[in-house]
Structures are given as structure tokens and as C-alpha cells.
Amino acid sequence: MSKPTTNFLLSLIYVFIYSTSEAATYNVASFGAKADGKTDSTPAFLKAWAGACGSVSSAMIYVPPGRYLLNHAVFSGQCKNNDITIRLDGTLVAPSAYRILGSSGYWLSFRDVNGVSIYGGTLDGQGSALWACKAAGKSCPNGARSLTITNSKNIAINGLSSINSQLYHIVIDDCQNVNVQGVKIAASGNSPNTDGIHVESSSAVTIQSSNIKTGDDCISIGPGTTNLWIENIACGPGHGISIGSLGKELKEAGVQNVTVKTVTLSGTDNGLRIKTWARPSNGFVKGVLFEHAIMNNVENPIIIDQNYCPHGENCPHQVSGIQISEVTYKNIQGTSATQVAVKFNCSPKNPCTGITMEDVRLTYAIENQAAKSFCSNAGGKASGVVEPTSCL
Ligand SMILES: *[C@@H]1O[C@H](CO)[C@@H](O)[C@H](O)[C@H]1NC(C)=O
């Protein structure tokens, strides 16, 4: 056969496979899901997932408009294809009676999957009853994270909203190549442990163009995170963007190559934070760039805290083993709600090295009082306009 003919036949085969794959749609309604917000639709969703996961070519799961109660769902691999799209026009609702999820830890979870994209939709964790239980100091279950992706790769989350999670809203753990874009997260500013997005033990994760308001960290970065890119994020209320807590364990994977770019923090407890336990550990933080950040009345706009020891838990009089190096703050502007706008409180055993500040201008929100910086065991250099004056 001549080459053009072969190419032509290959295109025909391609068109055939492509059009067949377009057709493989699994609508949860046709598996019995009820959009009434009160019938548990977990079995219907799991059947749709089994169909899509068992398909040898690309598959789509479609969730029509409406509210679907899901009591607890695990979507697991290994799948026969690596191109599953989940398109949500509806809202997935967690059981409001928090004892149903109890201390299971997870509400919706994807495990061992490759090539899953989630578009649109809303996750409603209905966490307020659990928060109230915790606030009242009663004995309550720990709660569940809304969406957890574990041991997976090539994942996209695009245009998803997540509200009122019991615990963390989105967790990416032990994953590679995850792209989160255009996500909206909202929970009350005093809801406990409702972190927006938590990443750990993962590589090549990007989080972009998202808006996150919670009662805890906007984005938290745990041990073993490498090649993380965060860009164009609005945070607040909440606790800001945090690398840590790290160093709780003696043996722990390090955090390396993190970029946080073009972020706005409004009314948050912290801005750009690195936080480690005051305990021995072999972990580290190396190669972090914080660039183009705007602070609006943030309590601790720039902070490294290596003396974290809540309730004196197994760490009084100990120092952090985490080595922090090569951290750059570039073009950070705005207002601090406290006088110490820049705080580098590093480990006496492993001082911070290679901190760079360039064009940092933070003012104390209270007029006529200059902002200050604080350094302990921190080394590096400052260039450009740096205000408050650098103590490096
Ligand atoms: C750092 O991470 C980014 C993605 O966030 C990646 O493009 C870049 O190649 C990484 N750099 C190194 C040296 O691995």
C-alpha cells in the first residue's frame, strides 16, 4: 500500500474510534440516581462509575441538574481506559447527619485512577452541624474530607465548587500530574479544619484561578510535595497559604520546588507561611518562590515558624529538624494587621539559609506606626525596596 493510502486508512480508524468514544456516556439518572436531595444515590453513581471504568475507550459520566445525596462513595481504579470525564451540572450533597460519615475520614474519594477529569458542579459537605458540635465542645466524630484523590495520576478538576466541608474540602495525596483550575471553595471563617486544598506526597500539581474562603488554610502543603505550581488565587477568610505543618514525624519526605504566584490574601491569619513542628525530623523545604502577592490586612503576611508545638504535644524544649533553604519573596505588597509584618523564626539547630527578599513593601494597617521584621536563626539577603527593613 502506498503511504498516503495508509495514512487515509489510519485517519478513518482514528475517526471511528474517536466517534465511538464520544458516545460512551453514563448518565447517573439512567442508573437510578434521584435529584431529590434525599434519596441516597451512591449505588447509582457507583454503577455509572463501573460502566465508565470498565469501558475500553473514553467515557463520560453525566450528572444532570439537581441535588443528589451521596452517603459515602469510593471511585476506584484500575480502569480499562485512561480518559474518564465526569461532567456535573448538579450538586452532590453529603448526609447532614454527621454520624453517618462519622470518622470514616472521607466522603467522596477517587483511588488508584489514571486520567479522570471532573468538570463543573458543586459539592455540598453540609458541615455546619459538625462544626457546631465541635464548637460546643461535645464529643463529636472527627468528620470527613469532601473530595480526596489518592494514588492517582493525570487528574483535572475544573470549575468545581465545594462548600461547607466537614473537614478539608479537596485533598490530593500521593498523586502525579493534577491540574486544579477555576475552583470555588467556601466555608464559614470560623469553621474548624476546613482547609481549602491540601496537597501532600504529590508531584506536578498545579492549582490556578481559584477562590478560597474557609476557616483554616486556603492551601496547605504537606510532606513529600514537589514541583507544585500555585497561581492566581484569592484567599480569605482563613489561615492563608501554608507549607506545613511539617516535621511532625522523625522520618518525613521533603518539600521541594514550590511556586506561589499572583495571589491575594484578604483578612487572613497568615499570608505566606512555612510552619514546622519543634521536633526532630529529617524533612526539609528547599526551593520556594513566593511572587506577586497582595496582602489586605493580613495578621502575619510573611512568616516562617519553626516552633510549632500546640498544647505542648511531645515537643516542649525541642527544636525543629526541618532544614529550610532557598526561599524567595519577590514583589509582596500590602498591609499587615499586626506590627510584625515579616517574621522568620527558624530552628536554632537548622537555621534557615538562602532567604531572598526583593521588592517587599508591607505597611502596618494602624497609622503612624511602622511595620517591623523579626529574624531568629535566619540568613539570606535583601534587594530592591524592602519595607519593613530586612533583618536578614
Ligand atoms: C519545578 O516545578 C515546575 C512545575 O511547578 C516545573 O515546571 C519545573 O520543571 C520544576 N523544576 C525543576 C528543577 O524540577
Side-chain angles (χ1 to χ4, degrees), residues 52-57 78-84:
C53 184
S55 163
V56 291
S57 60
Q78 309 280 329
C79 294
K80 292 215 168 92
N81 71 85
N82 55 14
D83 183 18
I84 297 177

Side-chain angles (χ1 to χ4, degrees), residues 18 31 62 81 89 179 202 240 274:
Y18 187 72
F31 292 93
Y62 179 63
N81 71 85
D89 282 337
N179 198 314
S202 295
I274 301 176

